[in-house]
Amino acid sequence: MPVLWILSSTRPDRALDGLALTPVAGWPEGVYSTPQEEVPVRLVVLSELPLSRDTLALRLMGRGVTAERAALELAELAAASWERRLLAPLMVNLQKKLANNPPDDLTEEEKELLVNGLKLIEAIEKKGWRQGRSEGKLGVFTHQFARKLGAPLSDSQQQSIAQRMKTLGADRLGEVVLDLDAAALAAWLADPDAR
């Protein structure tokens, strides 16, 4: 028998009581079911779903904090992730369509979608800026290390610099490349425990 799935942005207490809906064993928090299978109804309360990548697509359909948080989580995913590839363009397109309407013609839900779409776009742009900035710094440090060593860097040396950029930070890399002579710098790069 087909199951009727209902999505609710917030907890509908009267519906939960009226239909005698109870949490479904083995499912995430926020998923409810009727006790009788003759009328199979499932209710998903989007605001109660766990904050996980598995529930992200559903939470994007929520309202308020739930949808806003989901949009920001979506922006933080890698650009190659299936969620970013499929869901972000849908949200951006929806945001653009809504932005073309006069504000007075929009419903409260549409205004909220418009705002969340803008937040998603801003978060993706900010993440891209941070990554570009980090990659730019890494390129500068790679150039400085190669110049100080007087030779092109090997793949392992480049990987070591990139890893230490993440773990030690740009300030430490700057100190090392400026303070150490070529021999000490080569030894520092070769030592996996160097700080």
Side-chain angles (χ1 to χ4, degrees), residues 145 149 154 156-157 159-161 163-164 167-168 172-173 176 180 182-195:
F145 273 75
L149 294 172
S154 68
S156 65
Q157 288 175 321
Q159 290 171 357
S160 178
I161 293 169
Q163 182 59 38
R164 291 178 190 185
T167 58
L168 303 177
R172 180 62 182 142
L173 283 182
V176 169
L180 300 180
L185 187 60
W188 184 85
L189 271 177
D191 181 1
D193 297 323
R195 298 279 166 215

Side-chain angles (χ1 to χ4, degrees), residues 141 144-145 165 169-180:
F141 282 122
Q144 289 175 341
F145 273 75
M165 176 81 153
D171 289 343
R172 180 62 182 142
L173 283 182
E175 291 169 359
V176 169
V177 77
L178 292 174
D179 295 345
L180 300 180

Side-chain angles (χ1 to χ4, degrees), residues 103-170:
D104 293 339
D105 292 349
L106 297 174
T107 66
E108 289 305 311
E109 290 85 5
E110 289 170 332
K111 289 176 184 175
E112 194 172 308
L113 285 169
L114 183 64
V115 169
N116 286 335
L118 284 171
K119 287 181 181 179
L120 172 68
I121 293 167
E122 289 170 2
I124 288 172
E125 287 173 348
K126 185 183 274 186
K127 182 179 181 187
W129 180 82
R130 284 192 319 257
Q131 284 178 329
R133 188 169 164 230
S134 177
E135 289 169 8
K137 281 184 183 178
L138 184 59
V140 169
F141 282 122
T142 301
H143 175 75
Q144 289 175 341
F145 273 75
R147 187 160 182 197
K148 186 83 165 247
L149 294 172
L153 299 176
S154 68
D155 288 343
S156 65
Q157 288 175 321
Q158 290 180 30
Q159 290 171 357
S160 178
I161 293 169
Q163 182 59 38
R164 291 178 190 185
M165 176 81 153
K166 291 178 187 173
T167 58
L168 303 177

Side-chain angles (χ1 to χ4, degrees), residues 2 9 24 27 29 34 41 74 78 117 140 142 148 151 154 162 166 170 185:
S9 58
V24 180
W27 283 74
E29 185 179 344
T34 52
V41 175
L74 180 64
V140 169
T142 301
K148 186 83 165 247
S154 68
K166 291 178 187 173
L185 187 60

Side-chain angles (χ1 to χ4, degrees), residues 80-114:
S81 69
W82 73 265
E83 297 94 340
R84 274 277 300 274
R85 284 192 339 267
L86 297 176
L87 301 175
L90 293 174
M91 287 191 65
V92 170
N93 286 338
L94 179 60
Q95 189 274 337
K96 286 179 181 177
K97 285 179 183 176
L98 292 172
N100 289 331
N101 295 321
D104 293 339
D105 292 349
L106 297 174
T107 66
E108 289 305 311
E109 290 85 5
E110 289 170 332
K111 289 176 184 175
E112 194 172 308
L113 285 169
L114 183 64

